[in-house]
Amino acid sequence: MEPSLRYLFTTSQKFLFQPRIRLLLPSLLYITTKSATYSTICQAEVVEEVTEEEDCITDRLQNSSEVFKKWGCSENDISKIFTRRPSLRNADIVSLQSKLNILSGLGLNSSDLVKIINCRPRFLSSRINSCFDERLDYLTKLFGSREMLCKAIVRNPSFLTYDLHNMVKPTVALYEQLGVSRENLIPMLLSRPTLIPRTSLNDQKMEYIRRTGVSKDSKMYKYVVSLIAISRLETIIEKVANLEKFGISEDEVWALFGRSPLLLTLSVDKVQRNMTFVVGTMKMPASVILQQPFFLFNNLEAVLKPRFLLAAKIQDMGLSLEIRGHAAMLRALRMSEKRFLKVFVHSHPQDVADELMDVYRNAKCIKRLAVNSKKNIHKGFPF
């Protein structure tokens, strides 16, 4: 009993053995002893229950695969996730569960997670819970709704990892300062996932935007500003020079970019091959692209070359439905595949249609010279 008394009482012995206290000591000892005994048993039971509960959770979730299953992922989903990011097999269960809870709180499901991991394999290794509440509040207001935010995250998971104060907010403010409203900025953020980290503007880029002649009220303005902002300066100069080689002036090139900003997304190689075919083989003036930029967007091997060769075959056979003149050729090139075949192939008698179809198929099978041995030189971001 003495050890219990020394443990429970911190007062001095002199106080305990005063005349008034000495009379109460037996009852005090009795009450204290029973309380101490009862309290000790309770604490032991609580500790034992907590330990058993933790062991139970550990038994249920022995590895990351079990965590994904509990979260709602199918075996196929888990296989895709582990294939894209094998190190997740050995991920910390507690940390993984915490991050998955954050994603489910946003409204994302297992199929969304597969897309996210496929896009950003290291996503679940990032600190997505850093200043999460502030980030969530800002991004929800930016995109207008939680549904639109989820769509943006699936498209670009890095929205949950970008530096909110030094990257996201300054970039959004920059576009607003240039006259791109948040309403117009949202489609750009969805279509150009690298817009946040790649945006950079200087005096020369601002001059390029001005030279396009696009006003802030134009529907093309947001495309012009965002594409020039995320493009490297040397790449822009190279693309302008590429069109100048065919006799188009620099002012005409910038006016063309203003009318069709997505030309800035095409590679120098694609534009050069299409222009060479249009000018050299089809015998059209280079200026035709100023009014008909689709010549540069169309696939050379799948559209331009096969349809041009079919038009030449129809003319050689002296058929009634000839594709003569630039206007007729432009109309034929702009048709959908189904309509083109209906008008210029299937409208003929069966034997003629079969012969024309063979020519068309063979033309589509022609590959670029040494295309299989071509070495891809990666320069990083394509724009």
Side-chain angles (χ1 to χ4, degrees), residues 127-362:
R127 297 177 59 187
I128 62 175
N129 54 352
S130 177
C131 63
F132 180 76
D133 292 335
E134 182 184 0
R135 183 189 301 273
L136 178 61
D137 182 60
Y138 177 81
L139 291 177
T140 303
K141 291 178 180 177
L142 175 63
F143 288 99
S145 67
R146 184 68 66 88
E147 182 182 358
M148 189 61 69
L149 173 58
C150 289
K151 184 177 179 181
I153 292 172
V154 173
R155 176 71 172 152
N156 181 16
S158 295
F159 277 119
L160 294 180
T161 60
Y162 286 146
D163 189 320
L164 181 63
H165 298 287
N166 297 322
M167 186 179 291
V168 180
K169 288 185 177 182
T171 302
V172 173
L174 176 62
Y175 281 103
E176 289 181 336
Q177 190 177 10
L178 291 172
V180 180
S181 65
R182 291 199 176 191
E183 182 181 358
N184 288 327
L185 184 60
I186 290 173
M188 299 298 98
L189 291 170
L190 294 175
S191 62
R192 306 289 166 196
T194 54
L195 186 139
I196 294 292
R198 295 289 308 186
T199 292
S200 67
L201 286 169
N202 54 25
D203 293 339
Q204 192 168 353
K205 284 189 175 184
M206 292 300 296
E207 176 63 16
Y208 288 157
I209 293 173
R210 186 193 64 79
R211 292 186 67 179
T212 61
V214 179
S215 67
K216 293 183 179 181
D217 298 328
S218 172
K219 292 181 179 180
M220 295 292 106
Y221 183 72
K222 58 180 179 288
Y223 297 100
V224 170
V225 173
S226 60
L227 288 173
I228 290 178
I230 65 177
S231 300
R232 292 191 297 263
L233 201 57
E234 57 271 20
T235 305
I236 297 174
I237 295 171
E238 188 180 1
K239 290 181 177 182
V240 173
N242 187 40
L243 288 172
E244 285 185 292
K245 288 190 298 187
F246 293 93
I248 303 173
S249 69
E250 188 175 357
D251 289 337
E252 288 176 326
V253 172
W254 282 114
L256 176 62
F257 287 160
R259 294 192 300 273
S260 186
L262 294 180
L263 287 172
L264 285 165
T265 66
L266 301 180
S267 69
V268 171
D269 180 59
K270 175 178 174 60
V271 171
Q272 186 171 353
R273 288 189 296 110
N274 282 29
M275 284 296 296
T276 302
F277 186 80
V278 169
V279 175
T281 304
M282 299 180 70
K283 305 301 179 184
M284 290 187 175
S287 59
V288 71
I289 68 159
L290 298 178
Q291 288 76 41
Q292 307 294 341
F294 75 88
F295 274 113
L296 301 180
F297 288 107
N298 275 347
N299 188 292
L300 179 59
E301 284 76 26
V303 179
L304 294 181
K305 189 178 291 184
R307 295 191 183 187
F308 179 77
L309 294 177
L310 183 66
K313 180 65 175 178
I314 291 174
Q315 188 173 354
D316 291 343
M317 295 175 68
L319 300 175
S320 56
L321 285 174
E322 293 185 8
I323 307 176
R324 281 189 175 182
H326 290 173
M329 179 57 68
L330 292 174
R331 186 169 64 254
L333 292 174
R334 294 178 71 94
M335 288 180 178
S336 65
E337 181 80 354
K338 183 178 180 180
R339 177 164 174 74
F340 176 80
L341 294 176
K342 180 180 179 181
V343 173
F344 295 106
V345 177
H346 300 313
S347 59
H348 297 287
Q350 188 62 44
D351 56 336
V352 177
D354 290 341
E355 184 178 354
L356 292 175
M357 199 64 199
D358 288 339
V359 172
Y360 189 66
R361 286 200 191 99
N362 291 333

Side-chain angles (χ1 to χ4, degrees), residues 48-63:
E48 186 177 353
E49 287 177 3
V50 171
T51 305
E52 288 177 357
E53 185 177 354
E54 289 177 350
D55 290 340
C56 186
I57 293 173
T58 305
D59 290 339
R60 286 204 308 267
L61 304 176
Q62 296 179 354
N63 51 51

